[in-house]
Amino acid sequence: MEKLMKNILTNQKMQSVWKVIKWIFLILTNLLICLFVFAGLGFKEACVWVPEKFGNIPFEQILFTINTSVNGAGEGVMSEVWEACLKQPLLCAMSLLVFLFCFNTLFIYFKKNLLRRISLFLIFILSFAVFWDGFNDFSKQIGFYEYLNAYMHPSTLYEDYYVDPASLEYMFPEKKRNLIYIYLESMETSYADQEHGGALEESLIPELTKLATNKNTFTSGKGYTVLPSNGWTAASLVASTSGANLKTPIAQDDTDVEYQFMPGAYTLGQILEKEGYNQALLIGSDGSFGQRDLYFSQHGNYQIEDYYYAKEIEWIPENYRVWWGYEDKKLFDFAKEELLRLSKESEPFNFTMLTADTHFFDGALCPDCEHTYPDQYSNVIRCSSKRIGKFIQWVKKQDFYENTTIVIAGDHLTMDDEWALEHFGTDYQRKAYYTIINSPAEKQKDEDRELTAFDFYPTILTSLGVQYNGDRVGLGTNLYGTTPTLAEQLGSDELENQLKQFSIYYQEKILKSSK
């Protein structure tokens, strides 16, 4: 009898445990169904929203962004993601969860367990189909499958064309020239009028167009080609100062990803640091966004003067924040202060700055900007051009200007594709803005060149009076010389195709830890 009672109790316990397991399994299944639906619908919404807002962004950019810090992202970006991609799918998933609760309750109450399990299995299959359909469409949209294919077929671009900047010797003039490097957020030559190579009837950037003369550019002021692999801020900064493209590290531990930024690259900042330059990076946003602070501090020991630096030294109040940090009006005021300070030092300087007002979406319009056009973004671009024009006028009046080279370049094309489509259409070939002012170097070719961000690296060195062997540094080509750029030699499409592919050299030589 005692043994029988033990068996009964044991069976009761097992039944209780089994009942709990079944309930847990049921709850998890219902949650997974809702998660599949939420993710699938979210991917579907993103398939529409991402190309409208960002255009054809490369998967590499997405991969880099999710692997690095997004602290300091501009106001409104996450709210747009919520409204456009997440809100409606979440409501649908929550509604489905309520339905499943009622569905399971009724079937359990009427003891239709077999029918409930079959129905739940079919719902699970349908929910997974919703997820896969959304994921598959979004993967195609962002080039995920292309990325995998490129990874499986390595390129020898670096082995064939890359000239390691660390292997070259650089001869500076006796009196070293200063450098002012101004990166303009999303600045295109497309904003100019048609007479000057732009896409508009009325120019939004007449001041910038005036600065980009035939003498100061290699494309008659028509801008440079932005390769998708260099088509976002961090990638553009890297390409133009290192001659290498920015790729997300593969098979590195978290410590390397966090603290080592392309340790095998040898950059413009490192060359100038070795020559005793004082170097500063001025930005009105969080320097950690996209790991810009790591790149510039590790490659040239730049002083990082970002949004938090501005609060620390009381340029702005502790609780002050607009847009991505503080507006460009203040940025240029602070730039004047810093340039006057640096010019009083005995060492030459490399002063680099990055604007932000023209960032998507719609830009940030200062109170002192005019409201000339019906849309905000056009007014922001117009105001930015005026502000830069006045700043360059100020620089030209300073004593240090005579021995200073000024480089102005858009970091990439605007990612506000909705605005661009409305103003440019689909046939116009968009290019980013650039000009090099007060360079002592002379062009050896008068015809227009096809250039990319890589070519700024050696060209800027030449504009500082620096001599080195050959015309190529990194993947870049000195535009003052006669050697074809890689875009001219290979074609921009083929160059982009090879940049997207996995590179053993890049992985081993440029991303390799210096430890």
Side-chain angles (χ1 to χ4, degrees):
M1 178 65 69
E2 183 179 354
K3 185 175 181 181
L4 178 62
M5 289 299 296
K6 285 183 178 180
N7 288 336
I8 292 172
L9 290 173
T10 301
N11 288 334
Q12 287 178 339
K13 287 181 180 179
M14 289 299 296
Q15 289 176 1
S16 297
V17 171
W18 179 241
K19 186 178 292 186
V20 170
I21 292 174
K22 286 195 295 185
W23 274 104
I24 292 174
F25 178 78
L26 178 63
I27 293 171
L28 290 178
T29 301
N30 284 287
L31 289 175
L32 189 58
I33 288 171
C34 295
L35 181 61
F36 278 151
V37 170
F38 169 68
L41 294 178
F43 282 130
K44 277 291 188 182
E45 295 288 348
C47 283
V48 177
W49 182 74
V50 169
E52 282 183 355
K53 286 296 181 181
F54 302 97
N56 186 27
I57 62 173
F59 180 73
E60 190 70 54
Q61 178 181 350
I62 298 173
L63 190 63
F64 176 78
T65 301
I66 63 178
N67 272 278
T68 58
S69 171
V70 293
N71 295 331
E75 296 175 355
V77 175
M78 292 311 298
S79 63
E80 284 243 10
V81 174
W82 163 253
E83 288 291 336
C85 302
L86 302 178
K87 183 178 180 180
Q88 196 62 38
L90 183 60
L91 289 174
C92 291
M94 295 299 292
S95 300
L96 178 60
L97 186 62
V98 173
F99 166 78
L100 289 172
F101 174 78
C102 296
F103 168 86
N104 285 289
T105 301
L106 286 172
F107 273 83
I108 291 172
Y109 179 79
F110 289 108
K111 298 182 179 180
K112 303 292 184 179
N113 288 329
L114 180 61
L115 183 60
R116 176 179 62 82
R117 289 166 185 163
I118 293 173
S119 300
L120 195 62
F121 176 75
L122 292 175
I123 293 173
F124 180 85
I125 295 299
L126 287 173
S127 69
F128 182 78
V130 170
F131 165 75
W132 178 254
D133 185 52
F135 173 78
N136 187 52
D137 285 354
F138 187 65
S139 296
K140 291 176 182 177
Q141 181 70 56
I142 64 175
F144 175 63
Y145 297 132
E146 291 180 11
Y147 175 83
L148 290 180
N149 182 65
Y151 180 78
M152 297 298 293
H153 299 86
S155 165
T156 58
L157 178 72
Y158 279 85
E159 287 86 346
D160 296 338
Y161 299 105
Y162 182 77
V163 176
D164 185 358
S167 68
L168 300 175
E169 292 186 7
Y170 304 94
M171 297 180 60
F172 280 71
E174 184 176 350
K175 185 177 183 181
K176 298 170 184 174
R177 295 181 64 81
N178 303 311
L179 173 63
I180 299 176
Y181 202 151
I182 307 173
Y183 288 99
L184 304 180
E185 173 63 47
S186 305
M187 188 58 67
E188 303 185 27
T189 53
S190 318
Y191 307 150
D193 54 32
Q194 296 172 10
E195 180 183 351
H196 295 92
L200 307 178
E201 292 185 7
E202 180 183 348
S203 178
L204 297 177
I205 55 168
E207 295 82 5
L208 286 171
T209 299
K210 187 176 181 180
L211 293 172
T213 64
N214 187 57
K215 176 185 177 183
N216 291 344
T217 70
F218 305 89
T219 52
S220 302
K222 297 175 184 176
Y224 75 94
T225 299
V226 178
L227 300 171
S229 291
N230 300 333
W232 73 100
T233 300
S236 177
L237 299 180
V238 168
S240 58
T241 55
S242 75
N245 64 317
L246 176 59
K247 295 181 76 69
T248 305
I250 296 175
Q252 285 191 308
D253 61 42
D254 292 339
T255 302
D256 282 337
V257 173
E258 185 175 358
Y259 295 112
Q260 295 292 314
F261 197 120
M262 296 173 65
Y266 194 72
T267 71
L268 174 66
Q270 288 168 280
I271 294 172
L272 299 184
E273 178 190 21
K274 189 175 180 180
E275 292 295 323
Y277 277 66
N278 288 324
Q279 305 194 94
L281 173 68
L282 177 68
I283 48 179
S285 55
D286 184 345
S288 68
F289 182 78
Q291 296 187 334
R292 296 169 298 182
D293 54 350
L294 290 182
Y295 176 70
F296 282 98
S297 60
Q298 292 177 4
H299 295 278
N301 195 29
Y302 287 70
Q303 177 169 298
I304 308 300
E305 301 176 354
D306 66 350
Y307 166 69
Y308 294 104
Y309 176 86
K311 291 201 297 184
E312 181 182 332
I313 66 170
E314 299 182 344
W315 277 348
I316 57 175
E318 177 63 30
N319 61 348
Y320 189 87
R321 183 176 178 87
V322 297
W323 196 229
W324 286 70
Y326 63 82
E327 61 272 42
D328 288 349
K329 179 181 179 180
K330 288 183 172 59
L331 185 80
F332 282 105
D333 288 340
F334 301 153
K336 292 176 183 178
E337 290 185 31
E338 286 300 278
L339 284 170
L340 291 176
R341 178 185 66 82
L342 289 168
S343 67
K344 293 175 183 178
E345 302 291 336
S346 57
E347 300 85 1
F349 64 79
N350 167 21
F351 181 76
T352 302
M353 60 185 291
L354 170 65
T355 66
D357 280 3
T358 46
H359 205 289
F360 72 95
F361 311 102
D362 298 329
L365 192 66
C366 286
D368 64 335
C369 293
E370 297 178 0
H371 295 254
T372 307
Y373 305 96
D375 65 279
Q376 177 168 303
Y377 202 48
S378 295
N379 289 307
V380 173
I381 294 169
R382 182 72 194 90
C383 189
S384 181
S385 180
K386 288 181 179 178
R387 205 179 300 285
I388 297 159
K390 290 179 181 178
F391 179 73
I392 297 302
Q393 288 178 0
W394 177 86
V395 172
K396 289 183 176 181
K397 294 177 182 177
Q398 307 309 308
D399 293 338
F400 61 78
Y401 171 70
E402 183 180 355
N403 194 46
T404 299
T405 296
I406 304 173
V407 179
I408 310 175
D411 57 351
H412 51 72
L413 304 178
T414 179
M415 292 182 180
D416 199 331
D417 258 45
E418 191 175 354
W419 182 92
L421 182 63
E422 178 184 346
H423 288 77
F424 307 149
T426 57
D427 296 331
Y428 180 80
Q429 186 179 5
R430 296 161 57 188
K431 292 192 175 183
Y433 176 89
Y434 80 98
T435 187
I436 301 176
I437 303 169
N438 201 32
S439 168
E442 296 289 339
K443 294 189 291 186
Q444 297 181 41
K445 295 178 70 172
D446 290 330
E447 60 267 27
D448 286 352
R449 309 289 300 273
E450 183 173 5
L451 62 139
T452 66
F454 297 125
D455 303 311
F456 289 129
Y457 186 11
T459 303
I460 290 171
L461 286 170
T462 303
S463 75
L464 294 174
V466 180
Q467 296 180 1
Y468 48 89
N469 294 330
D471 269 337
R472 184 161 288 155
V473 183
L475 294 177
T477 303
N478 172 25
L479 298 168
Y480 289 102
T482 59
T483 301
T485 66
L486 288 184
E488 292 169 333
Q489 186 174 345
L490 302 176
S492 57
D493 290 341
E494 176 59 23
L495 176 57
E496 169 61 19
N497 181 55
Q498 294 205 38
L499 288 171
K500 289 191 298 186
Q501 293 175 266
F502 179 70
S503 169
I504 297 174
Y505 181 99
Y506 184 94
Q507 182 70 20
E508 294 297 322
K509 302 293 185 179
I510 296 177
L511 290 182
K512 185 178 179 181
S513 175
S514 59
K515 293 180 181 179

